[in-house]
Amino acid sequence: MTAPPAPAPAPAPAPVQPPAPAPAHASGPVLAQTGAGQPAAAAALASALILGGAILYRRSRVS
């Protein structure tokens, strides 16, 4: 008797290319804009609200 023919070898898998590296930034990391760069405007608004509250309080008091 003769031996059955050997199966053909499986084809080699295609080579996997590694992912491309992320592009390098020209500058350093940037923080998010939070709007905290204007403390003078917030201070002026707070002062105006306190002053307005004081005026309303004094006007509502009965002499």
Side-chain angles (χ1 to χ4, degrees):
M1 294 207 131
T2 60
V16 176
Q17 298 217 357
H25 295 289
S27 63
V30 178
L31 296 176
Q33 296 293 326
T34 60
Q38 299 176 353
L45 178 62
S47 299
L49 289 173
I50 290 173
L51 180 62
I55 292 172
L56 289 176
Y57 175 76
R58 290 195 50 117
R59 289 183 67 189
S60 66
R61 291 181 60 186
V62 177
S63 301

